[in-house]
Amino acid sequence: MGRLPAPPGPFRPGFWRSPIRGPWLTSVFGSVLLVGMPVLFVTGALSYAAYNPDLGPLNDQTPDKGLLGFYLFDWPTRPSWLYRLTQGVHVTLGVVLVPVVLAKLWSVIPKLFEWPPVRSVAHALERLSLLTLVGGVVFEFVTGILNIQLHYVFPGSFYTLHFYGAWVFIAAFVVHVALKLGTLVRALRSRPLWGELRTGVVGTRPEPPDADGLVAPDPAPPTIARRGALALVGAGSLALLVVTAGQSIGGRLRATALLAPHNREPANGPNGFQINKTAASVGVTAAMVGPDWRLELYGAAPVRVFTREQLLALPQRSARLPIACVEGWSTEDQHWSGLPLAELAAMAGLPDAADVLVESVQPPGPYTSVLLRGNQIRDPLSLLALHVNGADLSLDHGYPARIIVPANPGVNNTKWVGRLTFRT
């Protein structure tokens, strides 16, 4: 194959003529990703742990994970804003890095069209790791952004696809870093950053020929300096930060999150804060939560059944907690009031319950039931909430009763609760 002439188009070395492409520019983008990608992976892994998947299949979207779940731990409830922080960083950083990823791919695109495509076994392995790296990063960013926009066009569960895709990507990333870290360091040392930032288009010169073939053999005259390329990518990342971060930070900045589906308060009043799924969208009707609604309490003691009026007659406790979701959006702290889960566990005869099965009255579907850990039950801020901000819960916010637990992913704060089963 090596004796055959390269096919026309991008396989010909003369096809790529940018005078700024080379090891130095690639290494600048690579150094940003060298810091950002591990943060993305760690915060994503923490998001998975926050669902407490080792409690069982109700919480576990990836039952075949095997050794990939080696790091799982009991997700804490304090600080109460923990999940809001980790998932906000994960989503915001992922969006901000999009221009850097695209610039990095542009800078190495000649490598994807090498001819011959395979020269040896070692070269084949390097090409395979590169293909896995590029495919993995594209897959993770595309599925992540679609999830932020609540646009589920991919087959299967987002959680499953994104989880396994993350492990494939990080494995390829580690191999790539091991192979290229020395090259990155040498390239960054080859020319000073401040020198490039002071060099305009007129003074821009191609880098010396390199072994990886990134430098064009027949470069075209420059139309943009390297500092211009860096400024363009930096401005893109900054713009994405401005139009995304507000959904996690909240307050007045929420209105700046123009690309986020939860960028504005949906209404005024005590219940006028963000909702991911309305009652109508999941099939909950007013009849299901009307006068005939009951809360069933199971445990070691005889089954107890409560009307909402009976629950309201019990001593109430309040907590100020946000709602934070996997899509990266979160609310401000809302003032919730209701019954502590710890006291409900005591009523069920299991004050030291290991977990509780929370079941919603909504029709069967994802997350209609969830398991909460013992530490979540016993946290004094964990409530079966009946009111929010001094008013009854609205139907969309879970009337007549919903779960609110500190540092818990929003989807695990089950709405329209109909049964609590405390277990040892």
Side-chain angles (χ1 to χ4, degrees):
M1 186 176 292
R3 298 189 185 98
L4 296 176
F11 289 95
R12 299 283 175 90
F15 183 86
W16 308 103
R17 301 190 63 199
S18 172
I20 65 172
R21 186 183 280 117
W24 184 84
L25 190 60
T26 295
S27 296
V28 171
F29 296 136
S31 62
V32 175
L33 297 178
L34 185 60
V35 175
M37 289 301 186
V39 174
L40 273 185
F41 179 76
V42 169
T43 52
L46 290 175
S47 178
Y48 177 65
Y51 284 75
N52 286 314
D54 51 350
L55 284 180
L58 286 178
N59 293 38
D60 192 1
Q61 297 293 309
T62 55
D64 299 322
K65 61 185 176 298
L67 293 177
L68 299 182
F70 72 93
Y71 70 93
L72 293 175
F73 55 94
D74 294 359
W75 185 250
T77 58
R78 300 300 176 97
S80 60
W81 40 261
L82 178 62
Y83 188 73
R84 185 183 188 191
L85 173 65
T86 58
Q87 195 60 16
V89 169
H90 181 73
V91 170
T92 302
L93 180 60
V95 173
V96 166
L97 286 180
V98 167
V100 185
V101 169
L102 294 177
K104 177 68 159 55
L105 293 177
W106 171 85
S107 73
V108 298
I109 197 169
K111 293 285 291 179
L112 301 180
F113 294 93
E114 280 187 341
W115 188 266
V118 176
R119 295 192 294 267
S120 65
V121 173
H123 186 244
L125 292 175
E126 181 186 353
R127 297 279 289 169
L128 180 61
S129 70
L130 185 62
L131 181 63
T132 307
L133 180 72
V134 173
V137 73
V138 171
F139 179 84
E140 286 298 282
F141 274 74
V142 169
T143 55
I145 291 171
L146 288 174
N147 181 64
I148 295 169
Q149 297 299 322
L150 309 176
H151 193 51
Y152 301 109
V153 296
F154 35 77
S157 166
F158 161 76
Y159 301 94
T160 305
L161 295 171
H162 208 64
F163 176 80
Y164 289 123
W167 280 104
V168 170
F169 165 74
I170 202 64
F173 181 79
V174 169
V175 171
H176 186 71
V177 170
L179 292 173
K180 297 297 183 181
L181 184 59
T183 302
L184 180 144
V185 173
R186 288 191 296 272
L188 290 177
R189 290 176 174 174
S190 67
R191 45 182 68 211
L193 174 62
W194 294 115
E196 287 296 333
L197 294 180
R198 290 193 298 266
T199 303
V201 176
V202 175
T204 297
R205 299 289 183 271
E207 294 185 51
D210 65 307
D212 289 329
L214 296 179
V215 178
D218 181 25
T223 56
I224 187 174
R226 292 182 183 87
R227 71 177 183 184
L230 294 176
L232 184 64
V233 173
S237 290
L238 180 61
L240 288 175
L241 174 66
V242 170
V243 298
T244 302
Q247 69 166 345
S248 301
I249 298 172
R252 294 183 178 179
L253 291 178
R254 186 177 300 281
T256 66
L258 302 179
L259 297 185
H262 295 282
N263 65 320
R264 294 184 185 277
E265 307 289 347
N268 296 318
N271 282 272
F273 53 95
Q274 282 70 20
I275 300 167
N276 223 12
K277 293 183 178 179
T278 64
S281 70
V282 296
V284 173
T285 64
M288 294 179 180
V289 294
D292 293 334
W293 174 88
R294 298 292 185 271
L295 175 72
E296 299 175 358
L297 196 62
Y298 289 79
V303 177
R304 302 187 67 174
V305 180
F306 298 88
T307 65
R308 192 168 190 274
E309 288 70 26
Q310 289 172 327
L311 293 175
L312 289 170
L314 297 172
Q316 308 285 298
R317 187 176 294 174
S318 62
R320 295 191 66 85
L321 295 172
I323 296 176
C325 279
V326 69
E327 296 89 3
W329 67 268
S330 57
T331 71
E332 304 284 85
D333 282 356
Q334 308 297 323
H335 188 270
W336 308 90
S337 62
L339 303 174
L341 292 184
E343 293 184 11
L344 291 170
M347 290 182 190
L350 289 174
D352 296 320
D355 58 54
V356 59
L357 172 63
V358 183
E359 297 176 82
S360 174
V361 301
Q362 74 181 81
Y367 295 101
T368 56
S369 301
V370 73
L371 284 163
L372 300 176
R373 287 191 183 278
N375 66 311
Q376 294 174 311
I377 296 170
R378 287 181 284 278
D379 192 294
L381 297 182
S382 297
L383 302 177
L384 177 71
L386 305 173
H387 291 99
V388 63
N389 299 321
D392 285 344
L393 296 167
S394 68
L395 182 60
D396 285 339
H397 276 301
Y399 179 87
R402 69 168 295 162
I403 294 294
I404 188 72
V405 170
N408 202 30
V411 73
N412 280 5
N413 289 323
T414 308
K415 297 190 284 189
W416 313 293
V417 176
R419 179 182 295 172
L420 295 174
T421 304
F422 292 91
R423 313 188 306 187
T424 55

mmCIF file of all heavy atoms in Angstrom, residues 51-63 65 367 369-371 423:
data_model
loop_
_atom_site.group_PDB
_atom_site.id
_atom_site.type_symbol
_atom_site.label_atom_id
_atom_site.label_comp_id
_atom_site.label_asym_id
_atom_site.label_seq_id
_atom_site.Cartn_x
_atom_site.Cartn_y
_atom_site.Cartn_z
ATOM 1 N N TYR A 51 -26.015 9.165 42.121
ATOM 2 C CA TYR A 51 -27.255 8.414 41.962
ATOM 3 C C TYR A 51 -27.289 7.178 42.849
ATOM 4 O O TYR A 51 -28.275 6.449 42.850
ATOM 5 C CB TYR A 51 -27.431 8.009 40.500
ATOM 6 C CG TYR A 51 -27.877 9.142 39.615
ATOM 7 C CD1 TYR A 51 -27.000 10.134 39.222
ATOM 8 C CD2 TYR A 51 -29.194 9.232 39.175
ATOM 9 C CE1 TYR A 51 -27.411 11.192 38.425
ATOM 10 C CE2 TYR A 51 -29.615 10.275 38.372
ATOM 11 C CZ TYR A 51 -28.717 11.256 38.002
ATOM 12 O OH TYR A 51 -29.127 12.297 37.211
ATOM 13 N N ASN A 52 -26.210 6.919 43.586
ATOM 14 C CA ASN A 52 -26.115 5.739 44.447
ATOM 15 C C ASN A 52 -26.485 4.461 43.680
ATOM 16 O O ASN A 52 -27.378 3.702 44.084
ATOM 17 C CB ASN A 52 -27.018 5.893 45.676
ATOM 18 C CG ASN A 52 -26.455 6.882 46.679
ATOM 19 O OD1 ASN A 52 -25.266 6.836 46.993
ATOM 20 N ND2 ASN A 52 -27.291 7.771 47.181
ATOM 21 N N PRO A 53 -25.808 4.196 42.555
ATOM 22 C CA PRO A 53 -26.202 3.056 41.719
ATOM 23 C C PRO A 53 -26.014 1.697 42.389
ATOM 24 O O PRO A 53 -26.679 0.734 42.005
ATOM 25 C CB PRO A 53 -25.289 3.192 40.492
ATOM 26 C CG PRO A 53 -24.128 3.989 40.967
ATOM 27 C CD PRO A 53 -24.676 4.932 41.984
ATOM 28 N N ASP A 54 -25.122 1.612 43.386
ATOM 29 C CA ASP A 54 -24.914 0.305 44.011
ATOM 30 C C ASP A 54 -26.034 -0.056 44.986
ATOM 31 O O ASP A 54 -25.977 -1.120 45.615
ATOM 32 C CB ASP A 54 -23.549 0.245 44.709
ATOM 33 C CG ASP A 54 -23.299 1.402 45.646
ATOM 34 O OD1 ASP A 54 -24.092 2.363 45.625
ATOM 35 O OD2 ASP A 54 -22.315 1.354 46.401
ATOM 36 N N LEU A 55 -27.058 0.798 45.117
ATOM 37 C CA LEU A 55 -28.226 0.431 45.918
ATOM 38 C C LEU A 55 -29.109 -0.580 45.192
ATOM 39 O O LEU A 55 -29.902 -1.279 45.807
ATOM 40 C CB LEU A 55 -29.054 1.665 46.264
ATOM 41 C CG LEU A 55 -28.505 2.579 47.361
ATOM 42 C CD1 LEU A 55 -29.446 3.757 47.581
ATOM 43 C CD2 LEU A 55 -28.308 1.820 48.658
ATOM 44 N N GLY A 56 -29.007 -0.622 43.880
ATOM 45 C CA GLY A 56 -29.820 -1.576 43.145
ATOM 46 C C GLY A 56 -30.256 -1.054 41.800
ATOM 47 O O GLY A 56 -29.947 0.079 41.417
ATOM 48 N N PRO A 57 -30.996 -1.881 41.058
ATOM 49 C CA PRO A 57 -31.350 -1.534 39.666
ATOM 50 C C PRO A 57 -32.225 -0.306 39.531
ATOM 51 O O PRO A 57 -32.236 0.316 38.472
ATOM 52 C CB PRO A 57 -32.078 -2.797 39.167
ATOM 53 C CG PRO A 57 -32.499 -3.531 40.399
ATOM 54 C CD PRO A 57 -31.469 -3.224 41.430
ATOM 55 N N LEU A 58 -32.980 0.068 40.571
ATOM 56 C CA LEU A 58 -33.791 1.278 40.451
ATOM 57 C C LEU A 58 -32.923 2.511 40.233
ATOM 58 O O LEU A 58 -33.309 3.433 39.517
ATOM 59 C CB LEU A 58 -34.647 1.469 41.705
ATOM 60 C CG LEU A 58 -35.851 0.530 41.861
ATOM 61 C CD1 LEU A 58 -36.561 0.804 43.174
ATOM 62 C CD2 LEU A 58 -36.810 0.678 40.696
ATOM 63 N N ASN A 59 -31.774 2.534 40.869
ATOM 64 C CA ASN A 59 -30.872 3.679 40.756
ATOM 65 C C ASN A 59 -29.807 3.470 39.694
ATOM 66 O O ASN A 59 -29.148 4.427 39.295
ATOM 67 C CB ASN A 59 -30.175 3.940 42.092
ATOM 68 C CG ASN A 59 -31.125 4.413 43.171
ATOM 69 O OD1 ASN A 59 -32.242 3.957 43.259
ATOM 70 N ND2 ASN A 59 -30.676 5.332 44.000
ATOM 71 N N ASP A 60 -29.585 2.238 39.283
ATOM 72 C CA ASP A 60 -28.443 1.906 38.432
ATOM 73 C C ASP A 60 -28.867 1.822 36.974
ATOM 74 O O ASP A 60 -29.622 0.930 36.578
ATOM 75 C CB ASP A 60 -27.837 0.576 38.881
ATOM 76 C CG ASP A 60 -26.488 0.314 38.232
ATOM 77 O OD1 ASP A 60 -26.029 1.168 37.453
ATOM 78 O OD2 ASP A 60 -25.904 -0.742 38.504
ATOM 79 N N GLN A 61 -28.384 2.757 36.168
ATOM 80 C CA GLN A 61 -28.658 2.755 34.738
ATOM 81 C C GLN A 61 -27.636 1.942 33.945
ATOM 82 O O GLN A 61 -27.778 1.780 32.740
ATOM 83 C CB GLN A 61 -28.686 4.193 34.217
ATOM 84 C CG GLN A 61 -29.789 5.040 34.837
ATOM 85 C CD GLN A 61 -31.169 4.571 34.442
ATOM 86 O OE1 GLN A 61 -31.454 4.397 33.266
ATOM 87 N NE2 GLN A 61 -32.033 4.352 35.422
ATOM 88 N N THR A 62 -26.602 1.452 34.615
ATOM 89 C CA THR A 62 -25.538 0.700 33.937
ATOM 90 C C THR A 62 -25.253 -0.590 34.718
ATOM 91 O O THR A 62 -24.192 -0.733 35.325
ATOM 92 C CB THR A 62 -24.263 1.533 33.821
ATOM 93 O OG1 THR A 62 -23.886 1.983 35.134
ATOM 94 C CG2 THR A 62 -24.476 2.745 32.943
ATOM 95 N N PRO A 63 -26.186 -1.534 34.726
ATOM 96 C CA PRO A 63 -26.021 -2.735 35.548
ATOM 97 C C PRO A 63 -24.863 -3.623 35.125
ATOM 98 O O PRO A 63 -24.429 -4.474 35.906
ATOM 99 C CB PRO A 63 -27.366 -3.460 35.376
ATOM 100 C CG PRO A 63 -27.920 -2.948 34.083
ATOM 101 C CD PRO A 63 -27.460 -1.527 33.989
ATOM 102 N N LYS A 65 -21.804 -2.604 34.436
ATOM 103 C CA LYS A 65 -20.569 -1.802 34.521
ATOM 104 C C LYS A 65 -19.387 -2.590 35.047
ATOM 105 O O LYS A 65 -18.238 -2.280 34.750
ATOM 106 C CB LYS A 65 -20.804 -0.589 35.417
ATOM 107 C CG LYS A 65 -21.192 -0.938 36.846
ATOM 108 C CD LYS A 65 -21.516 0.294 37.641
ATOM 109 C CE LYS A 65 -21.997 -0.062 39.036
ATOM 110 N NZ LYS A 65 -23.242 -0.849 39.025
ATOM 111 N N TYR A 367 -37.424 6.408 36.741
ATOM 112 C CA TYR A 367 -37.353 7.171 37.988
ATOM 113 C C TYR A 367 -38.711 7.409 38.633
ATOM 114 O O TYR A 367 -38.894 8.368 39.366
ATOM 115 C CB TYR A 367 -36.611 8.499 37.772
ATOM 116 C CG TYR A 367 -35.168 8.289 37.406
ATOM 117 C CD1 TYR A 367 -34.755 8.403 36.093
ATOM 118 C CD2 TYR A 367 -34.238 7.930 38.366
ATOM 119 C CE1 TYR A 367 -33.422 8.175 35.744
ATOM 120 C CE2 TYR A 367 -32.910 7.696 38.034
ATOM 121 C CZ TYR A 367 -32.512 7.822 36.712
ATOM 122 O OH TYR A 367 -31.210 7.590 36.377
ATOM 123 N N SER A 369 -39.642 5.275 40.727
ATOM 124 C CA SER A 369 -39.257 4.774 42.044
ATOM 125 C C SER A 369 -37.763 4.968 42.202
ATOM 126 O O SER A 369 -37.005 4.904 41.219
ATOM 127 C CB SER A 369 -39.592 3.286 42.187
ATOM 128 O OG SER A 369 -40.967 3.056 42.010
ATOM 129 N N VAL A 370 -37.315 5.197 43.430
ATOM 130 C CA VAL A 370 -35.896 5.419 43.687
ATOM 131 C C VAL A 370 -35.576 4.963 45.099
ATOM 132 O O VAL A 370 -36.462 4.901 45.972
ATOM 133 C CB VAL A 370 -35.540 6.918 43.491
ATOM 134 C CG1 VAL A 370 -36.091 7.768 44.626
ATOM 135 C CG2 VAL A 370 -34.047 7.106 43.328
ATOM 136 N N LEU A 371 -34.326 4.618 45.311
ATOM 137 C CA LEU A 371 -33.855 4.232 46.644
ATOM 138 C C LEU A 371 -32.973 5.336 47.209
ATOM 139 O O LEU A 371 -32.131 5.890 46.495
ATOM 140 C CB LEU A 371 -33.056 2.924 46.575
ATOM 141 C CG LEU A 371 -33.885 1.648 46.418
ATOM 142 C CD1 LEU A 371 -33.003 0.504 45.942
ATOM 143 C CD2 LEU A 371 -34.570 1.283 47.722
ATOM 144 N N ARG A 423 -36.348 0.026 54.887
ATOM 145 C CA ARG A 423 -35.806 -1.334 54.908
ATOM 146 C C ARG A 423 -34.528 -1.389 55.743
ATOM 147 O O ARG A 423 -33.835 -0.377 55.911
ATOM 148 C CB ARG A 423 -35.531 -1.805 53.481
ATOM 149 C CG ARG A 423 -36.702 -1.529 52.525
ATOM 150 C CD ARG A 423 -36.538 -2.144 51.174
ATOM 151 N NE ARG A 423 -35.295 -1.788 50.504
ATOM 152 C CZ ARG A 423 -34.998 -2.099 49.250
ATOM 153 N NH1 ARG A 423 -35.878 -2.762 48.521
ATOM 154 N NH2 ARG A 423 -33.858 -1.740 48.707
#
